[in-house]
Amino acid sequence: MSSAVELPPPGPRGVPPLLARLVDDAALFPPGNAAMPDAIAAHLEMRSSNRAAVMGLFLCPASRLPELITELIKVRPVKPVALSLVIDTGLGGVPKALSIVESRTELLALRMVEMPAPSDVDDQWLERVSEFVPEDVIRVIEPRRGGPDWLASIRKVAEHGSWPKLRCGGLSQQAFPTVDEISDFLSVVSAGGVSFKATAGLHNAVRHTDEETGFTHHGFLNLLVATARSLAGGDVREALNSTDSEALAKEASELSEAASHAVRGVFASYGSCSLAEPVADLEQLGLL
């Protein structure tokens, strides 16, 4: 099984293994669209808070690397920022972006590279990704959902040693996968012994309908519980559909340490434009 980002054991800060380093910082991305100085200031503040262990990597588009480095030079972080580089410049732009990061190791520690897959996820393209990205950096690839070959593409990504990415929402209703689609996705990754990363739409812990947009959002706690059930042969669809926050929190809290690590070995992390919202939800549910 591909290992997730290293999980610390429960400690004095009260973060259980199921939630450790779960939330990657996607403040620069929609709908947050934070300015770089604000995003960096909030990230560094969270890094020194009593909920720091919930936070994972800082996400930055490759096209904004110079801006990120300029800001970090100004603030001079005590230790390098753990980075996930989101490739928005095409596969050909990867070597240059990696070279920039490698020249600034006092500011940045590259942990992950994420990129969208082309419409045809072929072996040659996946091999080029493997050639460009160092072995000690996690590769995350997002095949396009909706086509008949989506699940086959997920399998192919996993076979090449990369993590598939599951997009859980966006700016239109079509961007939100159905419960059946997520269930099928979990079936593939659980059976294949591979980690995955989720992104977009998971602003809150529990499934709910946004009053402003009318979109029904999936919950990251639903996804954690659904992953646990997928590994144990339980009812995945019921977990994804549930809006019973107390029941979901109870089920999550009763997972053993071994089961929690197994879940996070599959559902490794997700990106959120807000760190405060998921932490507040978890505190309200008694999970932190």
Side-chain angles (χ1 to χ4, degrees), residues 202-208 218-223 245 248 270 277-278 281-282 285 287:
L202 297 171
H203 300 158
N204 295 98
V206 178
R207 181 179 176 86
H208 67 284
H218 299 286
F220 66 83
L221 183 58
N222 295 79
L223 195 52
S245 57
L248 288 167
Y270 79 95
E277 287 182 19
D281 277 8
L282 292 168
L285 291 169
L287 292 172

Side-chain angles (χ1 to χ4, degrees), residues 148-172:
D149 298 327
W150 179 55
L151 293 178
S153 296
I154 298 297
R155 292 187 184 94
K156 191 173 290 188
V157 166
E159 288 167 0
H160 279 261
S162 297
W163 292 5
K165 181 189 279 188
L166 175 65
R167 185 166 296 274
C168 293
L171 302 179
S172 69

Side-chain angles (χ1 to χ4, degrees), residues 145 170-177 213-216:
R145 181 179 55 82
L171 302 179
S172 69
Q173 187 64 69
Q174 291 70 32
F176 291 78
T213 64
F215 300 158
T216 298

Side-chain angles (χ1 to χ4, degrees), residues 34-112:
M36 186 67 74
D38 295 338
I40 289 297
H43 184 83
L44 296 180
E45 182 180 357
M46 180 67 171
R47 197 164 75 169
S48 61
S49 76
N50 65 349
R51 297 305 189 198
V54 178
M55 185 174 69
L57 309 178
F58 183 81
L59 275 59
C60 181
S63 62
R64 298 184 69 179
L65 262 179
E67 186 185 355
L68 171 63
I69 290 169
T70 298
E71 190 59 33
L72 289 175
I73 290 172
K74 292 178 186 176
V75 299
R76 298 181 180 180
V78 175
K79 62 179 181 179
V81 169
L83 175 70
S84 178
L85 188 62
V86 181
I87 303 301
D88 60 345
T89 53
L91 184 58
V94 172
K96 181 180 179 181
L98 295 186
S99 177
I100 292 172
V101 175
E102 288 166 3
S103 71
R104 289 294 187 174
T105 54
E106 79 281 9
L107 300 175
L108 295 167
L110 184 64
R111 299 286 182 258
M112 181 180 288

Side-chain angles (χ1 to χ4, degrees), residues 192-265:
V194 64
S195 301
F196 77 91
K197 179 172 183 176
T199 189
L202 297 171
H203 300 158
N204 295 98
V206 178
R207 181 179 176 86
H208 67 284
T209 300
D210 187 291
E211 293 181 358
E212 291 185 12
T213 64
F215 300 158
T216 298
H217 288 251
H218 299 286
F220 66 83
L221 183 58
N222 295 79
L223 195 52
L224 285 168
V225 172
T227 302
R229 291 191 186 183
S230 181
L231 291 170
D235 190 338
V236 172
R237 286 173 174 80
E238 194 277 333
L240 292 169
N241 267 314
S242 177
T243 57
D244 188 337
S245 57
E246 290 186 7
L248 288 167
K250 183 175 185 294
E251 187 167 346
S253 68
E254 290 176 350
L255 290 172
S256 67
E257 185 169 336
S260 295
H261 280 287
V263 168
R264 293 297 307 285

